[in-house]
Amino acid sequence: EANAFAMELLMPFDWIVRDAASIDLCDDAAIAKLAKRYRVPASTMAIRIGEVRAVSLPHPEEARLKSEGKTDV
């Protein structure tokens, strides 16, 4: 429970939804940049993005296809 509390305190769900919507979990540089902004280790940020994405975010490829007007995804 303490870890979950700390993660929510340092990286609030809504903020990560907003900031990580287009980040690919394989893009180490993008994760590192976002981690630096939140002042957390990149590995912790990757975990948080994965958790948040599992609940609310579309996969980046899905988001790209939708932005191109391909609504059949």
Side-chain angles (χ1 to χ4, degrees):
E1 277 187 35
N3 287 340
F5 175 78
M7 195 169 288
E8 183 61 31
L9 181 67
L10 295 172
M11 298 172 285
F13 183 89
D14 292 340
W15 293 8
I16 299 301
V17 167
R18 178 194 67 216
D19 293 342
S22 62
I23 289 181
D24 182 351
L25 282 174
C26 295
D27 186 347
D28 293 337
I31 291 172
K33 183 177 178 182
L34 191 57
K36 186 175 180 179
R37 182 185 313 165
Y38 283 86
R39 299 180 184 188
V40 298
S43 59
T44 302
M45 179 57 71
I47 291 167
R48 183 62 167 160
I49 292 170
E51 290 175 350
V52 168
R53 187 165 287 155
V55 175
S56 67
L57 297 176
H59 186 276
E61 182 67 11
E62 182 180 331
R64 183 186 64 78
L65 291 172
K66 285 184 179 181
S67 73
E68 293 175 355
K70 299 176 181 174
T71 57
D72 58 336
V73 286

